[in-house]
Amino acid sequence: MEQRDKILEEYYAQMGIAKPVYDFCMKVEEELKDRFLSIDKTAECNQMKVLRAMQKNHLSETCFAPTTGYGYNDIGRETLEKIYADVFGTEDALVRPQITCGTHALALALMSQLRPGDELLSPVGKPYDTLEEVIGIRPSNGSLAEYGISYRQVDLLPDGEFDWDGIEKALNEKTKLVTIQRSKGYASRPTLSVKRIGELIHFIKERKPDVLCMVDNCYGEFVEIEEPSQVGADLIVGSLIKNPGGGLAPIGGYLCGTKECIDRAAYRLTSPGLGKEVGATLGVTTSLTQGLFLAPTVVKGALKGAVFAANIYEKLGFKVIPDSKESRHDIIQEVEFHNPELMVAFCEGIQAAAPVDSFVRPEPWDMPGYDAQVIMAAGAFVSGSSIELSADGPMKEPYAVYFQGGLTWEHAKYGIMMSLQKIYETGKLKNILINDTES
Ligand SMILES: *Cc1c(COP(=O)(O)O)cnc(C)c1O
């Protein structure tokens, strides 16, 4: 054994990983070489895409000067928005620290494009939990429903396919905007590839050319070499404390799309008449821009972590979505435990592996916007950031954890090893692990 391998093994032992867990995980990693090489290539493409946009738009040191007050003529903000537009292949972009989170970005997108009497259609089933209150699926103060905007939903078919007939029937003269969620979120459905999103948009626009197609791009950015805006989406939306912030953005959300869509969103975010012209950046532009620069690499590490987790837990007999071999379209990995104890143990492991707050124990709590208790494990530099290593899930059947992030592959790897360690310590997997490493 090389000396370095020995030292590494000692580190893991000191950091709480038992020998059977270590051996099992290292073997799984060894089998993933080709897969990881392909992830590296995607990251390389996306790094070039981001770098090209920064050079083209003459990103300069002057862009990093903070602005205060109204923020008129904030050249850093304007440059960053041009860079986002180029990276995502759109006419315009709105990238702001005043957009407080992903839900806010999505609510802004919906509320700015829809008017009373319009109808919103989701052709991919139930949207992300927090959007139920935005739309008014669950009655809520200030929802779209209160403004007289109706909602229709067509579920995916049991095999995960689009319900083409159902979608065709659901489109009507009131349909103004179609919202397509790329990632599965807290649902056990497949994540949509950019290619499938393109096919869906094409189908819809063929039948109703004037309808706006919006994509909730959360967790999907830089996972593939194309984005939904490059296959027909009029508007894509996401959070900066997920993929595109690269772990450095301390806050923010983005919308990229046609000039018309972005104008409407800007007039809704600030005020009619003011639009994009105001919005001081208070010194965060460097983090937002540098975060975008790092994002392809950070997403690469997170993706490797997700694939690693899928392979480990599938081998141990748990259902994992996506499965160990499937192609990836977001950074989320679901593992179904059908058991609250194992689910909590998994989250304890992720927490124990964190650089921040590794000494605290995650507990289920009543999180606003969710209809069941949620357990969340994260020890992040940016509070709540889920591009950093994190795991969460609602405490209800199938007791599934949704695992995502990791600013580096090495940390994601240790986090997953630690999750397995905690599960191993429950005593329920001992035999499986020992048998596997002895064979
Ligand atoms: C995270 C997420 C959201 C909401 O973002 P928050 O920042 O948590 O408000 C919406 N949709 C999807 C698919 C997400 O993953």
Side-chain angles (χ1 to χ4, degrees):
M1 203 195 297
E2 236 189 276
Q3 167 137 27
R4 195 180 46 195
D5 291 339
K6 235 171 149 164
I7 288 174
L8 187 59
E9 196 177 330
E10 276 168 26
Y11 270 122
Y12 280 121
Q14 283 167 18
M15 301 277 286
I17 307 291
K19 183 84 164 89
V21 172
Y22 174 83
D23 288 342
F24 178 75
C25 290
M26 294 306 264
K27 208 169 90 187
V28 171
E29 183 188 3
E30 189 61 30
E31 293 161 6
L32 290 172
K33 277 194 173 136
D34 290 346
R35 198 75 194 278
F36 283 8
L37 218 59
S38 157
I39 293 172
D40 289 341
K41 277 272 175 256
T42 300
E44 198 175 339
C45 283
N46 286 324
Q47 182 70 82
M48 290 302 115
K49 197 186 210 182
V50 168
L51 186 57
R52 186 181 61 183
M54 290 183 170
Q55 294 183 350
K56 182 188 155 203
N57 291 291
H58 291 188
L59 180 64
S60 73
E61 204 180 328
T62 51
C63 293
F64 304 137
T67 56
T68 57
Y70 294 107
Y72 293 132
N73 303 312
D74 183 323
I75 186 182
R77 183 190 71 212
E78 288 168 5
T79 303
L80 181 60
E81 289 180 338
K82 284 186 194 145
I83 292 169
Y84 259 78
D86 281 339
V87 166
F88 290 102
T90 57
E91 290 172 5
D92 206 353
L94 192 63
V95 185
R96 301 287 168 123
Q98 286 82 11
I99 301 175
T100 55
C101 61
T103 303
H104 185 190
L106 289 156
L108 170 64
L110 294 172
M111 290 175 170
S112 59
Q113 311 301 318
L114 293 161
R115 298 288 179 271
D118 287 343
E119 188 160 279
L120 167 67
L121 169 67
S122 170
V124 298
K126 186 178 98 59
Y128 195 76
D129 281 19
T130 56
L131 288 186
E132 293 188 10
E133 286 176 278
V134 173
I135 296 169
I137 299 171
R138 273 185 283 146
S140 174
N141 211 343
S143 69
L144 291 172
E146 281 194 348
Y147 287 89
I149 294 158
S150 56
Y151 171 70
R152 215 177 266 257
Q153 176 178 314
V154 179
D155 289 336
L156 294 174
L157 297 173
D159 64 357
E161 263 307 312
F162 297 126
D163 178 359
W164 299 112
D165 290 342
I167 294 168
E168 180 149 32
K169 283 194 197 105
L171 285 166
N172 62 66
E173 67 289 347
K174 284 173 64 185
T175 315
K176 171 73 174 298
L177 189 145
V178 172
T179 181
I180 301 166
Q181 185 179 306
R182 179 173 178 180
S183 169
K184 62 197 171 76
Y186 283 166
S188 301
R189 60 121 160 132
T191 286
L192 303 176
S193 66
V194 171
K195 183 163 169 281
R196 286 190 71 197
I197 291 172
E199 288 162 3
L200 178 57
I201 292 173
H202 182 78
F203 178 88
I204 289 164
K205 295 254 183 188
E206 236 174 24
R207 280 150 189 83
K208 195 164 163 55
D210 61 333
V211 82
L212 292 174
C213 291
M214 170 184 130
V215 174
D216 174 351
N217 208 26
C218 281
Y219 288 130
E221 299 91 350
F222 303 125
V223 171
E224 300 184 52
I225 58 172
E226 270 194 320
E227 300 291 339
S229 37
Q230 296 173 288
V231 295
D234 299 284
L235 187 59
I236 62 168
V237 183
S239 162
L240 300 193
I241 63 167
K242 292 180 180 171
N243 304 16
L248 291 187
I251 189 171
Y254 77 88
L255 288 76
C256 292
T258 62
K259 179 156 190 328
E260 279 189 355
C261 284
I262 297 302
D263 278 348
R264 279 192 290 264
Y267 290 128
R268 184 63 165 70
L269 174 66
T270 64
S271 158
L274 300 181
K276 290 184 79 181
E277 303 302 318
V278 293
T281 47
L282 309 171
V284 300
T285 305
T286 312
S287 307
L288 302 196
T289 314
Q290 194 179 355
L292 178 66
F293 179 71
L294 291 179
T297 308
V298 170
V299 169
K300 170 176 83 173
L303 261 181
K304 288 181 182 177
V307 170
F308 184 60
N311 278 269
I312 285 185
Y313 283 98
E314 191 177 81
K315 276 199 172 60
L316 295 173
F318 296 101
K319 183 172 178 194
V320 294
I321 305 174
D323 72 28
S324 63
K325 300 259 162 22
E326 245 173 287
S327 67
R328 298 275 156 167
H329 312 293
D330 67 9
I331 62 166
I332 300 183
Q333 182 60 51
E334 179 186 350
V335 184
E336 292 185 0
F337 288 109
H338 296 284
N339 177 323
E341 188 193 356
L342 294 183
M343 181 175 172
V344 171
F346 181 101
C347 291
E348 282 175 2
I350 297 297
Q351 187 76 44
V356 182
D357 291 338
S358 61
F359 48 86
V360 305
R361 266 183 67 156
E363 276 178 15
W365 66 297
D366 294 304
M367 190 180 166
Y370 295 85
D371 64 1
Q373 281 206 319
V374 174
I375 184 164
M376 305 192 114
F381 294 99
V382 171
S383 179
S385 165
S386 48
I387 187 60
E388 298 190 48
L389 191 70
S390 48
D392 43 64
M395 296 297 298
K396 58 184 182 188
E397 269 300 336
Y399 291 97
V401 290
Y402 297 79
F403 162 87
Q404 66 269 312
L407 294 182
T408 68
W409 150 242
E410 290 77 8
H411 180 231
K413 176 180 167 183
Y414 173 61
I416 294 150
M417 289 169 81
M418 208 55 195
S419 74
L420 182 57
Q421 175 68 32
K422 294 288 180 191
I423 287 176
Y424 176 71
E425 286 170 13
T426 65
K428 298 203 161 146
L429 288 181
K430 218 178 244 167
N431 295 335
I432 301 175
L433 282 179
I434 289 169
N435 288 343
D436 192 279
T437 46
E438 280 173 352
S439 65

